[in-house]
Structures are given as structure tokens and as C-alpha cells.
Amino acid sequence: MLRSMYAGVSGLNAHQQMMDVTGNNISNVNTIGFKSSRVTFKEMLSQTIQGASAPQANRAGTNPQQVGLGVGVGSIDSDMSSGNLQSTGKTSDVAIQGDGFFVLRDGNNQVYSRAGNLNFDENGRLYSSSTGMLVQGWMADANGDYGDFNAQNIDDITLKQEINAQETDKVKYGKNLDAGAMNSLEILEQNLELSTASGYGEELSFSLQETEEFNVWDFTLNASNSSTEFSSNGETFDDTLKGKIKLDNNGNITSFETNEGLATEVDLLTNPLVTTIVDPSGTNPDETLSLSSTDVNNIFTNSTGVNDANVDLAFEQTAKRNIAVDVFDSQGGKHTVVLPLEKTANNEWQISDSDEDFSVDGITGTASLGGDHTITFDANGNIDGGETVELTFTPAGPDMEQTVELDFSAVTQFDGSMTANFTNVNGYEDGALESFSFTETGDVVGSYSNGLTQTLAKLGLANFSNPAGLMRQEGVFQTTSNSGDPELGAAAQGGFGSLAPATLEMSNANLSQEFTNMITAQRGFQASSKLITTSDEMLQELVNLKR
């Protein structure tokens, strides 16, 4: 009976420990990254009353007779399975999806945690908000590259609080220049009602037609009277004169020629056009008016001064793309460079040093390309020449000449769209850290006030052959002789889980299972206590036999 009483005592102890573990699991149901535990029981040593006997010729063998001495705790196992993820929206939170632990530094010791509620202290060091321990990882160089991911170079993660200014030395351009872009030439007003000294006159009309040639228009000059004749350079034409007019990108006439009925063109810029007007009555001699071309705003003038005959044309340079880009000097000063690309011929565009739109900070004449720069394209719309050119200017702050390479190698020329623009500028002003975030691969990305984002570090993760063999201590895990040494590496590679930014891993304690365990522990404890009281009653009956 004493054995049954002590068996009941062992049952009380075992179920009390089960209740302790269950209570700990329930109390940590909202603890970030918590891993629940479970208790397994084992039978204690049994007292052998009679050993087993082997079978004999005339008698069967007998089994051993043993009385158990109670129950003990066989193990308290950690459940290292992942908990559910909770989105927090906080950029400093991060959770591990899969295997691995965050690596923390506690003085000179490394410890491990699944809790990803992280933050930065005033020195820019990343630490665990739950424990205050410093998070370990690998720092990136200026190009965002890392060395080897190993234990020798893992260190505290410290964010760079400021980024120094960097001078712009290259601007890349891309997208499309419209192959079909044409400048515009329109007739605003024409006054070609000519009057002679004898009082009779003629009314002429001038019209334009756009051609496929760049900056070239067909023109037609008509007389209302069929007897009127046009002549120039000894050549005589009927009452209709046709030809071509060519302009440069400033709207100046470069060629004003007629080839109507001629083997060669007649240049009306150097050979005045004579209009012979016949008196319908036949009483007066024929009279002539000479018209000469001067400029685009007044291409015809009455050379006789009898009347002010003219055609007013409006030229608009629409085959042009002004691209503004901000570049930075060595002190971080920002300067706006406006680069005018104007079409000068089919498949040819030019940037002119003397263009009034070519400016730095709105001031013309302060930058140079070393002369006019021409960009050419082949028949397929791909760049064929003039891929790069160097822009030089002297910013006021540093007061030293700065050279910027302009790269047009990615610019195309297809019909229909005018989208050419800069695609990349490699300089920036100085900036202060405003925020940071994590990526799925563990990169720590800083966002700065100058609009720059930079990869600064990578979180280190640790993995174990037997993670359940880790020992808990103040909310973190430590290695033991049965957990194995940690394997360090980066997230999402080499068997390590990926990261979920702005997310936390919740406790993996299952409340429904824990409440069931609590009932089981309670009933086991109750039964064990009943065993003690029953044994006590039996002892009491034994004492009463003396009476």
C-alpha cells in the first residue's frame, strides 16, 4: 500500500509539471515567436516480486511479477514549428518563413530568436525590441555587395545615417524620337493684289504643300489672269509657277527655287521673280512688277514700290525635343540642364551649342558640347552615330569644370511617339536616413531624404541540425551539446527560410490543444490524489484491525 501511495505522489508531481508547462504555453499565447512545449511521461522503475521462469518438460514458464513504482517526466519537448504570420505594417518588423533563427549578440555570446520585432537605436544599430540584444548580419559596401556569408565577418548591423553627395558624371538617355516629326510652315496672310502705274492690276495667290523631305514645302504661285506671265533669269513661265521652298530650323529660307518646265532649277533668292501684267484694253504697254524673296515673315516684296505686296508665313519648330535633367556637382548642388534635340534632316538630329534652349539653370552659353553634336539613325530606327558626347560646365559652388558624359545609345527613332528622355543619372545630393525596410532575401534597404535608396546590410540567419535541442534563456535560445553548432547564412538560400517584411510570427501555442492538456493534467492530478486518499483509508482499516 505504501507503494501505491508513493505512486500517487509521483503522479501528482508529474501532472503538476504538465500543468506548469501547459500554463506557460497558455500564458505565452501572444508572445512573438514563442515556441510551445509539451510533456511526455515515462513509467518509473518497477519492483520485481518474482522473476520469470523458463518452460520445463512438465511445466510452463512463468512471466515476471513486477509492481510499478509510479510515473515520471520522460521529456519536455519544444515544438519548433512555425507560428502563423501577422501583418503589422511596420517596416521594422520581419518574420522568418521556414527554417532559421535571427542571430543576436548578447555581450560576447551569440544567441538566437524567432522574434522579428526589430528597431534601431540612436547609434543606428539594429536590435531586438524584446531583449535589447544587437542583431547580427553582414554589411554591404558602397556598391551594395557583400563578402562571404560566414561567422568570421558577421557583425552588428549599423545603418549609415547620411549619404554624402556624389558628382554626376554620366546621364543615360532612352526611349523614342519621332521619325515622322516635321516642322510647321503656315500662311498667315497674303496680299498679292498688284496694281500698275497705269491703273490695271493682277491678283496672285500663293499656296504651300508639305512634302516628305524635312523642312521642304512645295509652293504654287497662281495668277488670276491667264495672260499674266512669270519670268526669272531669262526663263519665262505661264500664269502658274511651281517650285520648292526650303528653310533651316531657325525659319530662314535657304532655298527658293522653281523647276517648272525647266531642266534645271531657277534660284529665286538670287534671281528676282518678274510678273508681267498685260493691259486687257490693249491701249497701254505691258508692265512688269519684280518680286524678290527676303525672309520667312515677308517672302515677297513689291520691288517697284507701287504697292505693298507680301505673303506672311509663320514657321514653328515642332520637330524638336527639349529634355531637362537635374545633375549634381561635387558639393551636392543641383543644376538643371536643358538639352535641345532638333531634327535637321530625315534620320538626323542635332544638339547645337548655340541653341537658345541649351542652358544650365536657365542660363544659356554656360555649357558646351565642344561644338554641334549630331545623332544619326539607320533605316531601322536604331542609332547609327553620335552615341555619346561630353557636356562641360562650371558650377558656381565648387567653381571647377565638371564633365558629364551624355549617352544616347539606347535612344530609338520610330514613327509616332516623341518620348525620348533621360533614364538614369548617377549623381545625387547629400541625404539623411528617413526610413528603412527589409526584403524577402534579408537585405536592409535605407531610404534617404535625397530620394535615394541603398542596400546597407543583410540579416544573418542561423540553422541547426536539431533546433529542438536549443536551450531557452530569457526569451532567446542558446546552443547545447545536442543542438549542434549553428550554420550561418542568408535568407532564401541554402535551406534557410525567406523573410516576410512588415510581418511578425505569432506564438505557435495551440489554445484548443492546451486547454485539452489542462483538463487531462487536472484529471490525472485528481486521480493521483484519489489514489493517495484511498491508500490512506486502507492503512486506516489496517490500523483498526487491532481494535
Side-chain angles (χ1 to χ4, degrees):
M1 285 185 289
L2 289 177
R3 283 181 300 203
S4 65
M5 183 172 289
Y6 284 109
V9 172
S10 69
L12 293 178
N13 290 332
H15 286 91
Q16 179 61 59
Q17 290 190 49
M18 180 180 179
M19 182 61 77
D20 292 339
V21 171
T22 303
N24 182 63
N25 290 341
I26 293 175
S27 63
N28 283 284
V29 70
N30 289 316
T31 301
I32 297 169
F34 175 75
K35 301 304 174 187
S36 61
S37 301
R38 69 172 185 181
V39 175
T40 59
F41 294 154
K42 68 177 182 178
E43 183 182 8
M44 292 183 67
L45 292 176
S46 299
Q47 181 179 357
T48 302
I49 299 175
Q50 179 179 315
S53 63
Q56 298 179 6
N58 300 320
R59 179 175 295 182
T62 59
N63 294 325
Q65 298 180 14
Q66 293 179 299
V67 178
L69 301 179
V71 66
V73 175
S75 66
I76 301 178
D77 303 317
S78 295
D79 179 7
M80 305 305 289
S81 63
S82 298
N84 294 328
L85 300 185
Q86 176 187 8
S87 177
T88 64
K90 187 177 180 181
T91 58
S92 59
D93 290 340
V94 62
I96 302 174
Q97 299 184 94
D99 296 334
F101 295 81
F102 297 111
V103 183
L104 308 177
R105 181 171 68 85
D106 182 15
N108 294 324
N109 299 322
Q110 277 189 359
V111 295
Y112 311 94
S113 174
R114 293 279 296 192
N117 51 328
L118 310 180
N119 219 324
F120 282 89
D121 64 12
E122 62 178 355
N123 296 322
R125 298 179 300 178
L126 186 64
Y127 71 96
S128 168
S129 299
S130 299
T131 63
M133 299 176 186
L134 297 176
V135 179
Q136 304 294 283
W138 297 275
M139 298 300 298
D141 60 20
N143 298 321
D145 298 325
Y146 307 98
D148 295 331
F149 298 134
N150 54 42
Q152 283 68 40
N153 56 5
I154 196 168
D155 202 353
D156 299 343
I157 292 180
T158 304
L159 282 192
K160 188 192 307 183
Q161 298 298 308
E162 293 184 350
I163 292 182
N164 294 331
Q166 178 176 311
E167 176 181 306
T168 299
D169 60 13
K170 188 168 186 177
V171 177
K172 295 196 69 172
Y173 293 85
K175 300 186 180 179
N176 191 61
L177 291 170
D178 183 9
M182 291 289 184
N183 293 325
S184 172
L185 183 65
E186 295 181 353
I187 301 173
L188 288 183
E189 181 182 359
Q190 56 177 301
N191 178 19
L192 296 177
E193 295 181 1
L194 307 181
S195 297
T196 68
S198 302
Y200 58 91
E202 175 66 280
E203 183 176 354
L204 308 180
S205 64
F206 184 76
S207 61
L208 290 172
Q209 179 66 43
E210 188 179 87
T211 69
E212 292 185 358
E213 295 183 75
F214 185 69
N215 276 1
V216 177
W217 290 262
D218 288 334
F219 75 84
T220 301
L221 183 64
N222 277 318
S224 60
N225 193 331
S226 60
S227 62
T228 298
E229 291 182 343
F230 299 109
S231 62
S232 179
N233 196 31
E235 299 286 348
T236 301
F237 313 100
D238 294 331
D239 58 329
T240 299
L241 182 68
K242 295 183 178 182
K244 293 183 182 296
I245 180 171
K246 299 181 181 180
L247 282 73
D248 62 20
N249 278 342
N250 294 320
N252 300 313
I253 295 177
T254 60
S255 176
F256 184 38
E257 298 176 337
T258 179
N259 59 358
E260 180 70 20
L262 302 176
T264 60
E265 293 84 357
V266 174
D267 185 359
L268 301 180
L269 286 177
T270 57
N271 300 287
L273 177 65
V274 177
T275 305
T276 302
I277 302 174
V278 178
D279 180 8
S281 64
T283 59
N284 296 304
D286 297 343
E287 295 195 26
T288 62
L289 294 173
S290 179
L291 302 177
S292 64
S293 174
T294 56
D295 56 51
V296 73
N297 291 319
N298 194 6
I299 65 168
F300 294 105
T301 57
N302 186 350
S303 62
T304 64
V306 176
N307 62 298
D308 185 18
N310 62 72
V311 175
D312 290 333
L313 301 180
F315 174 81
E316 184 179 359
Q317 189 181 14
T318 54
K320 187 175 183 179
R321 178 72 170 176
N322 288 345
I323 304 175
V325 59
D326 290 335
V327 299
F328 300 90
D329 60 38
S330 58
Q331 296 179 354
K334 183 169 67 175
H335 307 278
T336 301
V337 176
V338 177
L339 201 67
L341 281 76
E342 58 180 11
K343 189 175 182 180
T344 53
N346 289 336
N347 299 324
E348 182 179 288
W349 297 71
Q350 188 179 83
I351 309 168
S352 175
D353 265 354
S354 59
D355 194 305
E356 61 181 7
D357 291 329
F358 183 31
S359 64
V360 177
D361 295 331
I363 305 173
T364 59
T366 57
S368 174
L369 300 175
D372 295 344
H373 179 69
T374 302
I375 304 171
T376 57
F377 296 88
D378 61 21
N380 296 319
N382 299 313
I383 196 163
D384 191 41
E387 288 89 347
T388 61
V389 66
E390 289 188 345
L391 165 75
T392 58
F393 71 104
T394 302
D399 197 25
M400 293 181 61
E401 185 176 85
Q402 180 174 341
T403 300
V404 181
E405 181 186 77
L406 308 181
D407 185 351
F408 303 100
S409 59
V411 177
T412 59
Q413 184 197 237
F414 299 111
D415 188 46
S417 61
M418 184 76 84
T419 57
N421 211 334
F422 69 93
T423 57
N424 186 55
V425 182
N426 69 346
Y428 45 81
E429 59 187 346
D430 62 324
L433 180 67
E434 291 185 329
S435 63
F436 68 93
S437 59
F438 300 104
T439 67
E440 292 185 354
T441 57
D443 291 322
V444 183
V445 180
S447 298
Y448 293 83
S449 58
N450 57 4
L452 191 71
T453 59
Q454 191 174 75
T455 299
L456 303 173
K458 185 179 285 288
L459 290 174
L461 295 184
N463 214 346
F464 297 88
S465 301
N466 176 28
L470 294 171
M471 183 174 65
R472 303 169 189 260
Q473 182 181 4
E474 296 181 0
V476 295
F477 295 95
Q478 287 186 324
T479 57
T480 66
S481 57
N482 197 41
S483 66
D485 294 329
E487 176 190 356
L488 300 182
Q493 55 180 287
F496 293 90
S498 62
L499 300 185
T503 303
L504 288 177
E505 180 185 1
M506 296 187 290
S507 168
N508 69 348
N510 186 332
L511 274 182
S512 60
Q513 181 64 52
E514 298 304 330
F515 279 120
T516 302
N517 291 343
M518 186 167 58
I519 295 172
T520 303
Q522 179 188 9
R523 290 305 182 188
F525 188 91
Q526 187 179 33
S528 295
S529 64
K530 191 64 175 177
L531 176 61
I532 294 174
T533 57
T534 302
S535 297
D536 178 57
E537 291 176 359
M538 293 174 68
L539 286 173
Q540 183 64 38
E541 289 297 325
L542 182 61
V543 171
N544 290 340
L545 289 176
K546 184 181 179 181
R547 301 177 183 176

